[in-house]
Every structure is written in structure tokens, then in C-alpha cells.
Amino acid sequence: MEPEALRQTRLWVERFVIGMDFCPFAGSVFRQNRLRFVLSEAKTDAALLPDLVKEIQLLTESEIQSVETS
């Protein structure tokens, strides 16, 4: 089961970012499931940094057809 925070974030992206057309590229990326949502358990900026680095590395190494952004 997906954590509530991720479910709410997906809904916000779908309704606000895409629904209000704030990003003209978000809709197709979202519909093609190439938008990656990740939940960090970090409680401080310092603890978040390794998670951020890991996500940047994943995006850099991933094929755009599978993951375009997160």
C-alpha cells in the first residue's frame, strides 16, 4: 500500500500542477508513469542530503523512457 504522503502528492501533481497547466510537460510524463515519487524518512537537511544525492544519481543513470524526473 502506498504511503498517504505519496498518494496526496500524486493527487496534488495531477490536480494542481497538471490540472492548472503550471507545467506543460508534466501531463505526458505523469500519464506515461515516468514521474518518480519518492518518500524520504529524513528529519533534517543533513539527513536528507544522501537521499537527494541517491535520487539525482538514479535520474542521471536512468533511461528517459523509464524515469524522466522525480
Side-chain angles (χ1 to χ4, degrees), residues 1-52:
M1 185 171 176
E2 183 176 55
E4 183 63 15
L6 289 180
R7 191 184 76 72
Q8 289 290 328
T9 303
R10 284 181 197 280
L11 193 58
W12 177 81
V13 168
E14 188 173 23
R15 289 183 178 171
F16 187 75
V17 176
I18 296 169
M20 302 294 283
D21 204 25
F22 281 103
C23 177
F25 309 105
S28 64
V29 173
F30 184 83
R31 285 187 295 278
Q32 294 170 15
N33 202 31
R34 295 185 324 204
L35 176 55
R36 181 175 151 84
F37 292 86
V38 182
L39 180 63
S40 173
E41 299 296 329
K43 304 291 185 210
T44 67
D45 292 347
L48 180 61
L49 189 56
D51 291 346
L52 181 59

Side-chain angles (χ1 to χ4, degrees), residues 56-69:
I56 291 169
Q57 288 173 330
L58 183 140
L59 288 171
T60 302
E61 296 167 2
S62 295
E63 294 292 325
I64 198 165
Q65 295 84 2
S66 61
V67 178
E68 189 166 337
T69 192

